[in-house]
Amino acid sequence: MMYDRYVARMGTRVTRPTSPPRRLTWRLLVALITAGALAACADDSPVQPPAKVPKGGVKALTFVGASILPAGQQFADKVAFVTGSAWGKAPYVQVYDKVGKQMARFQAFNDSWDTGPGAEVAIGDVDGDGWPDIIVGEGPTANSPYGSRFGVWNGRTGAFIDGWATSWNHRGGLRVGAGDLDGNGRAEVFTCYGPSSQATVVDVMTLNPTTHLIGRTSALSIGLGFFTGTHTYDGCRVAGGDVTGDKRDEMVVMFDGPNNTLWIHDPAIGGYGNRLYPKPLGTSYTGYASLAVGHMNSDGKAEVFLGRLAAMDTKPPVRIFDGAAFLETTALPVPKIVYPLENNTMNTGVHIAAHDLTGDKLAELIVKPTTAYNYSTVAARISWGFTYVLLLFHYYEPPGNITSGGPVG
């Protein structure tokens, strides 16, 4: 997996706008609702909330490498989570605070081949300033002269930090994640290949605090074949979290396809190394999966969440694996299964994330349906007993601009 940083970045056209981009000023409706009151859309014509949308639609940046906000400004609050866009759509990213207010919306990539790659998203404090940064992976780019790219934007100022193509010839898109593997207060950037003719691999990158450039770590690109001898070509997803409770994050990867496998990588000296768990979504499931890692209780060990992306049923399950159980056995722990879209009536899959929205050091499970007719995005608190306690938010993506179905990070 050799690459030339200069040439790779030549594939990232950095064009400055002639005037500063306008900051988004409109707010989405946020409605607090209780458990059992989730009203996921039940038909093909969802009712939009009364949002104040500027005439002509929401303004968006369309210049890769440009800042999200005008110089001298910063986000009103820390980024709590972000949503991406589905394949077939322009690579827009929506940025939200902890109460569900949209603070910005921008197009992460804008080259001639970026007419509909979608955008994969994550957040992580890459520069160590205490504000989560925005990480975006370019979706499938079959017509690109270079490989699929990632980009990182400062979560406080909106400034573009760095980004490039991780391969010369992989155009199947990049899925992204983040985690602090070495415990230095700065999150590493993770990228996973999407499906392609290239063997699926995971890469780990880190920010150089002096040059503010992101480069690969000394670790080589690693695929499933590194452990099993047989590569997969169906793509993967990646996230970070402290599953072992050692104050350092582990990298958690879900390889998709017929050989779908959950991989937990512990890089710490004296840690438990690499664990592989085949078929974590059941022996018959060979589709794509969504992945999240977050602390749902106070034992200091993060839980692992898996959801099906295939629209197989009306109430798609999310499997929650207790972090402590991974240390107790080498077998896959028995998960607790919850159904966040309990009132949904049409088949859908789910994109998931886990972030602390309330400031109590425990994560909420954030769920976004995959199907275009489901516009709801919800956040749910799960107790230590994995009981569905409270739905915190129910709101919508910008009306008329993008179908729901993009990833949530």
Side-chain angles (χ1 to χ4, degrees):
M1 293 295 168
M2 298 298 293
Y3 71 100
D4 185 306
R5 184 184 185 88
Y6 174 74
V7 176
R9 290 197 63 165
M10 288 296 289
T12 302
R13 185 173 57 205
V14 180
T15 308
R16 297 292 179 180
T18 56
S19 60
R22 295 175 58 189
R23 190 177 183 184
L24 305 181
T25 59
W26 63 283
R27 296 188 175 187
L28 296 175
L29 177 66
V30 179
L32 290 175
I33 58 176
T34 58
L38 172 61
C41 300
D43 56 43
D44 292 336
S45 301
V47 178
Q48 299 292 356
K52 296 180 179 179
V53 182
K55 184 177 180 180
V58 178
K59 302 299 180 182
L61 285 175
T62 56
F63 302 94
V64 63
S67 295
I68 301 170
L69 303 175
Q73 294 189 14
Q74 68 178 49
F75 289 111
D77 202 350
K78 291 183 178 180
V79 176
F81 61 98
V82 291
T83 61
S85 49
W87 182 83
K89 298 293 181 179
Y92 280 98
V93 177
Q94 294 73 223
V95 183
Y96 294 97
D97 68 10
K98 61 188 176 184
V99 297
K101 180 179 68 177
Q102 189 185 86
M103 296 190 293
R105 183 173 189 260
F106 68 102
Q107 185 170 336
F109 308 101
N110 188 40
D111 289 285
S112 59
W113 56 84
D114 278 311
T115 55
E120 297 279 338
V121 293
I123 61 174
D125 187 6
V126 176
D127 56 11
D129 66 353
W131 289 58
D133 301 308
I134 301 163
I135 307 168
V136 186
E138 190 176 34
T141 51
N143 298 319
S144 170
Y146 309 101
S148 300
R149 302 166 291 179
F150 75 93
V152 182
W153 282 261
N154 185 284
R156 186 170 189 171
T157 66
F160 181 71
I161 294 176
D162 198 13
W164 33 277
T166 62
S167 167
W168 279 102
N169 48 17
H170 169 71
R171 297 176 177 82
L174 291 178
R175 284 80 176 267
V176 292
D180 184 5
L181 298 181
D182 54 12
N184 68 352
R186 296 192 300 272
E188 279 70 49
V189 176
F190 308 144
T191 62
C192 254
Y193 278 14
S196 76
S197 59
Q198 305 296 312
T200 298
V201 298
V202 183
D203 283 299
V204 179
M205 277 79 69
T206 187
L207 177 74
N208 185 311
T210 301
T211 64
H212 294 285
L213 295 177
I214 296 173
R216 271 194 180 95
T217 65
S218 57
L220 297 176
S221 299
I222 300 176
L224 190 60
F226 180 84
F227 303 101
T228 66
T230 302
H231 287 297
T232 180
Y233 297 83
D234 296 286
C236 60
R237 284 181 169 80
V238 60
D242 186 6
V243 179
T244 64
D246 64 354
K247 310 302 182 184
R248 297 184 180 187
D249 289 339
E250 282 70 53
M251 184 173 68
V252 182
V253 182
M254 179 65 188
F255 291 97
D256 286 325
N259 296 316
N260 64 53
T261 301
L262 180 68
W263 169 34
I264 301 181
H265 170 61
D266 181 4
I269 298 175
Y272 73 19
N274 296 292
R275 298 275 185 90
L276 297 179
Y277 303 97
K279 302 292 185 179
L281 289 171
T283 57
S284 62
Y285 187 71
T286 59
Y288 299 153
S290 55
L291 167 70
V293 182
H295 294 273
M296 298 298 284
N297 58 72
S298 57
D299 69 356
K301 300 175 181 64
E303 278 62 58
V304 175
F305 305 78
L306 288 176
R308 294 194 310 243
L309 286 171
M312 298 174 59
D313 44 32
T314 60
K315 298 172 180 60
V318 174
R319 299 186 180 215
I320 307 176
F321 298 89
D322 182 13
F326 284 108
L327 298 176
E328 297 169 357
T329 176
T330 57
L332 182 68
V334 176
K336 179 65 178 181
I337 300 177
V338 296
Y339 301 88
L341 304 182
E342 55 187 15
N343 293 333
N344 188 49
T345 59
M346 294 186 178
N347 286 356
T348 184
V350 286
H351 290 286
I352 59 176
H355 298 302
D356 176 16
L357 304 180
T358 59
D360 62 358
K361 308 300 183 182
L362 300 178
E364 280 67 53
L365 171 63
I366 305 172
V367 178
K368 184 177 177 64
T370 60
T371 48
Y373 44 77
N374 280 306
Y375 279 67
S376 305
T377 301
V378 302
R381 165 52 56 83
I382 311 296
S383 73
W384 167 228
F386 298 120
T387 302
Y388 208 52
V389 177
L390 179 68
L391 294 176
L392 296 177
F393 305 113
H394 179 207
Y395 58 88
Y396 298 80
E397 296 287 7
N401 289 312
I402 186 172
T403 61
S404 67
V408 58

